[in-house]
Amino acid sequence: MPEEQDRYQLDEMMDRLHERTTSEHSGEGELVTREDGSQVIRVRRRKRRSHQPEKERRRRIRIMQLTAALLVLLVALLMVGFVTIFVNTESYRKQLSAKLEATSGAQAKLIQFRMNPSAANAQGLDLKWPQGSALDSLQLRLLSADISPVAVIAGKFHGNEMSIGTGKLSLGLPVEGESRRIVPVLDGDAPIRFKQYGVKRLQIEIDLQDAGIFRLNEVEATLVPEKEGESSLLRMTRGDLRAPDWPMFRLDRGYIKLGGGQAKVVGLGLLHPQDDAGKLEFSGILSPHDRLNPSLLEVSAESFLLSGLLGDSLGELFSGRVDSREGSTASQLEVGFGPDPKVDLDLNFQVSKDDSLTLRHLPVLLALCEILGDDWYAEPAFRGESSGILIRAGNQIELRELNLFSGERMAIRGRLGLHLGKLQGELRIGLPAAKITISENRALDKMFGSPMDGYRWMDLSVSGTAARPTDSFVQAYDQALTSLRAPAAGSARDRVDGDQANDRSFEELTKPR
């Protein structure tokens, strides 16, 4: 059978193995018989040949590669050294200043520029734009940037970030028809460009002539230059805002997109100097090159201290937190860059939820406190939907369309403002009819008119200063009292009623007990 033909006997297999072993080593050794009778093949060891062509060829290649690498490294070191020496020469600084002028469009002055293989540093950089440009000047100090020597050799000053210690940016009022650049705009990629510029302490100021100089101090700012299809982005945090005749504000954060001669204020948040709970928020577009139409920014307030908007003077009379009022005329900041620069604020506000607006120091309040025998009237607190409009225009501050009320105690309507340090205003004081009746004061009853909207009203004017306000309540009260104490002839009963204990003069009412 076929399967039996493929089988081998054990002896046959051993014989074949022996024959194969013998044939393999027959030319490489000799057969030796040992003392015990066994036989082995002694094979002579081959000696290592001293000449190995393949190995030596590989070694020569490695030596050539190492030598080439050392030469490249040496050339690179020489080039870096040459570049380092070149970029620290006066001629290169002049070239760099020319590139700065070409990039910025301003006259440039580079101060103590130094460069090593890994970074570039400068003590300062001053830029000055033409008169009539929106940018006036920029002063930067302690500049540093990571620069590739290869980029320097290629004639481009590019990198990831330029870090700046301090800076001062002065903005001006643009003049129609004036050039915004000292040198023309370059074609192609700018010779100096970084992915972002960071300033640890930046001061920004704008001179609005009669409106004064507005300053942002100690701002930490980052500028991300424009990319294809995108505007430049200016991010700001910390710092404070100061302006003539305005209270100081703290900068919370700001995001502004720059491009096309405009500044789009995505969000600018301001805080009260001593309070973090409330915030003012601005948004809109500033167009400094539009001399005919003022720029309008939307304004929103959230739990902001009213005294922080009124300033120290009117802030002595009013206190409390306010929100921008919804569903009414929009609040806005009007900024004019034309022949008559201005920064005017209109804030339509209402008293914040869970807070109150307090009025104090007016003589009418002290008188009502004595007449009605209720200390609440000395510093009335108005809650609910009490509202008004705050106007700031130059050095004038005014609260218009005041509508303050507190349930069954009091209501105030009208306006009150401060102009050149003097108070000016007309107020309507409302008291519930029941309060007047309970007081049994006929002079008070005579001063207040018929009921309307749940109150009896009287009109008075306010003057004086915020430190020493006056109003017409005293005069009106004494006139009413005098008319009551001088009844028609022959009316003895009226003379008796005119001397009631509650019909006291204002001096008697306010006399210390």
mmCIF file of all heavy atoms in Angstrom, residues 129-136 172-176 178-180 289:
data_model
loop_
_atom_site.group_PDB
_atom_site.id
_atom_site.type_symbol
_atom_site.label_atom_id
_atom_site.label_comp_id
_atom_site.label_asym_id
_atom_site.label_seq_id
_atom_site.Cartn_x
_atom_site.Cartn_y
_atom_site.Cartn_z
ATOM 1 N N TRP A 129 2.187 109.330 15.155
ATOM 2 C CA TRP A 129 1.406 109.396 13.928
ATOM 3 C C TRP A 129 1.198 110.841 13.490
ATOM 4 O O TRP A 129 1.395 111.783 14.278
ATOM 5 C CB TRP A 129 0.059 108.709 14.129
ATOM 6 C CG TRP A 129 0.136 107.226 14.056
ATOM 7 C CD1 TRP A 129 -0.047 106.441 12.962
ATOM 8 C CD2 TRP A 129 0.432 106.319 15.134
ATOM 9 N NE1 TRP A 129 0.112 105.116 13.276
ATOM 10 C CE2 TRP A 129 0.404 105.007 14.606
ATOM 11 C CE3 TRP A 129 0.719 106.489 16.487
ATOM 12 C CZ2 TRP A 129 0.655 103.891 15.383
ATOM 13 C CZ3 TRP A 129 0.972 105.372 17.272
ATOM 14 C CH2 TRP A 129 0.948 104.085 16.720
ATOM 15 N N PRO A 130 0.750 111.047 12.258
ATOM 16 C CA PRO A 130 0.536 112.414 11.765
ATOM 17 C C PRO A 130 -0.548 113.137 12.559
ATOM 18 O O PRO A 130 -1.458 112.506 13.112
ATOM 19 C CB PRO A 130 0.107 112.205 10.310
ATOM 20 C CG PRO A 130 0.478 110.816 9.962
ATOM 21 C CD PRO A 130 0.465 110.040 11.222
ATOM 22 N N GLN A 131 -0.477 114.447 12.607
ATOM 23 C CA GLN A 131 -1.490 115.240 13.284
ATOM 24 C C GLN A 131 -2.829 115.071 12.574
ATOM 25 O O GLN A 131 -2.913 115.091 11.351
ATOM 26 C CB GLN A 131 -1.094 116.713 13.297
ATOM 27 C CG GLN A 131 -2.039 117.592 14.102
ATOM 28 C CD GLN A 131 -1.559 119.028 14.161
ATOM 29 O OE1 GLN A 131 -0.542 119.360 13.556
ATOM 30 N NE2 GLN A 131 -2.269 119.867 14.888
ATOM 31 N N GLY A 132 -3.884 114.910 13.358
ATOM 32 C CA GLY A 132 -5.202 114.693 12.788
ATOM 33 C C GLY A 132 -5.582 113.243 12.659
ATOM 34 O O GLY A 132 -6.693 112.930 12.249
ATOM 35 N N SER A 133 -4.670 112.320 13.007
ATOM 36 C CA SER A 133 -4.982 110.899 12.956
ATOM 37 C C SER A 133 -5.679 110.475 14.238
ATOM 38 O O SER A 133 -5.548 111.119 15.286
ATOM 39 C CB SER A 133 -3.702 110.089 12.755
ATOM 40 O OG SER A 133 -3.972 108.700 12.826
ATOM 41 N N ALA A 134 -6.434 109.378 14.175
ATOM 42 C CA ALA A 134 -7.101 108.867 15.376
ATOM 43 C C ALA A 134 -6.087 108.364 16.395
ATOM 44 O O ALA A 134 -6.351 108.369 17.600
ATOM 45 C CB ALA A 134 -8.072 107.761 15.009
ATOM 46 N N LEU A 135 -4.928 107.909 15.920
ATOM 47 C CA LEU A 135 -3.826 107.515 16.797
ATOM 48 C C LEU A 135 -2.835 108.671 16.860
ATOM 49 O O LEU A 135 -2.384 109.170 15.826
ATOM 50 C CB LEU A 135 -3.133 106.259 16.275
ATOM 51 C CG LEU A 135 -3.965 104.975 16.219
ATOM 52 C CD1 LEU A 135 -3.161 103.857 15.592
ATOM 53 C CD2 LEU A 135 -4.424 104.581 17.615
ATOM 54 N N ASP A 136 -2.500 109.084 18.073
ATOM 55 C CA ASP A 136 -1.559 110.195 18.223
ATOM 56 C C ASP A 136 -0.145 109.694 18.494
ATOM 57 O O ASP A 136 0.794 110.013 17.764
ATOM 58 C CB ASP A 136 -2.020 111.122 19.350
ATOM 59 C CG ASP A 136 -1.072 112.291 19.538
ATOM 60 O OD1 ASP A 136 -0.853 113.042 18.574
ATOM 61 O OD2 ASP A 136 -0.514 112.431 20.652
ATOM 62 N N GLY A 172 -6.202 110.637 19.449
ATOM 63 C CA GLY A 172 -6.543 112.005 19.107
ATOM 64 C C GLY A 172 -7.859 112.074 18.367
ATOM 65 O O GLY A 172 -8.520 111.056 18.129
ATOM 66 N N LEU A 173 -8.247 113.295 17.996
ATOM 67 C CA LEU A 173 -9.445 113.490 17.213
ATOM 68 C C LEU A 173 -9.065 113.572 15.745
ATOM 69 O O LEU A 173 -8.276 114.438 15.349
ATOM 70 C CB LEU A 173 -10.161 114.775 17.644
ATOM 71 C CG LEU A 173 -10.718 114.765 19.068
ATOM 72 C CD1 LEU A 173 -11.332 116.113 19.402
ATOM 73 C CD2 LEU A 173 -11.736 113.660 19.247
ATOM 74 N N PRO A 174 -9.587 112.667 14.922
ATOM 75 C CA PRO A 174 -9.212 112.684 13.503
ATOM 76 C C PRO A 174 -9.707 113.949 12.817
ATOM 77 O O PRO A 174 -10.751 114.500 13.161
ATOM 78 C CB PRO A 174 -9.898 111.436 12.944
ATOM 79 C CG PRO A 174 -11.024 111.169 13.884
ATOM 80 C CD PRO A 174 -10.564 111.615 15.234
ATOM 81 N N VAL A 175 -8.945 114.416 11.834
ATOM 82 C CA VAL A 175 -9.293 115.594 11.049
ATOM 83 C C VAL A 175 -9.614 115.144 9.635
ATOM 84 O O VAL A 175 -8.845 114.416 9.016
ATOM 85 C CB VAL A 175 -8.144 116.623 11.053
ATOM 86 C CG1 VAL A 175 -8.499 117.817 10.176
ATOM 87 C CG2 VAL A 175 -7.839 117.064 12.478
ATOM 88 N N GLU A 176 -10.760 115.587 9.148
ATOM 89 C CA GLU A 176 -11.195 115.177 7.815
ATOM 90 C C GLU A 176 -10.200 115.646 6.756
ATOM 91 O O GLU A 176 -9.763 116.800 6.752
ATOM 92 C CB GLU A 176 -12.575 115.747 7.528
ATOM 93 C CG GLU A 176 -13.196 115.233 6.246
ATOM 94 C CD GLU A 176 -14.615 115.729 6.078
ATOM 95 O OE1 GLU A 176 -15.083 116.478 6.958
ATOM 96 O OE2 GLU A 176 -15.236 115.370 5.066
ATOM 97 N N GLU A 178 -7.114 114.677 6.428
ATOM 98 C CA GLU A 178 -5.733 114.486 6.837
ATOM 99 C C GLU A 178 -5.328 113.024 6.661
ATOM 100 O O GLU A 178 -6.126 112.110 6.845
ATOM 101 C CB GLU A 178 -5.537 114.890 8.299
ATOM 102 C CG GLU A 178 -5.726 116.375 8.566
ATOM 103 C CD GLU A 178 -4.556 117.189 8.075
ATOM 104 O OE1 GLU A 178 -3.508 116.589 7.772
ATOM 105 O OE2 GLU A 178 -4.687 118.426 7.968
ATOM 106 N N SER A 179 -4.039 112.812 6.288
ATOM 107 C CA SER A 179 -3.528 111.454 6.134
ATOM 108 C C SER A 179 -3.404 110.786 7.494
ATOM 109 O O SER A 179 -3.045 111.425 8.488
ATOM 110 C CB SER A 179 -2.160 111.479 5.444
ATOM 111 O OG SER A 179 -1.598 110.182 5.421
ATOM 112 N N ARG A 180 -3.695 109.487 7.533
ATOM 113 C CA ARG A 180 -3.590 108.740 8.785
ATOM 114 C C ARG A 180 -2.232 108.062 8.914
ATOM 115 O O ARG A 180 -1.950 107.453 9.937
ATOM 116 C CB ARG A 180 -4.685 107.676 8.852
ATOM 117 C CG ARG A 180 -6.090 108.226 8.691
ATOM 118 C CD ARG A 180 -7.113 107.098 8.748
ATOM 119 N NE ARG A 180 -8.416 107.545 8.287
ATOM 120 C CZ ARG A 180 -9.459 106.746 8.162
ATOM 121 N NH1 ARG A 180 -9.340 105.461 8.460
ATOM 122 N NH2 ARG A 180 -10.620 107.199 7.733
ATOM 123 N N HIS A 289 -13.772 108.434 13.056
ATOM 124 C CA HIS A 289 -13.582 109.212 11.837
ATOM 125 C C HIS A 289 -14.884 109.824 11.319
ATOM 126 O O HIS A 289 -14.863 110.541 10.318
ATOM 127 C CB HIS A 289 -12.943 108.337 10.755
ATOM 128 C CG HIS A 289 -11.563 107.881 11.102
ATOM 129 N ND1 HIS A 289 -10.457 108.698 10.985
ATOM 130 C CD2 HIS A 289 -11.106 106.716 11.598
ATOM 131 C CE1 HIS A 289 -9.378 108.046 11.374
ATOM 132 N NE2 HIS A 289 -9.746 106.837 11.749
#
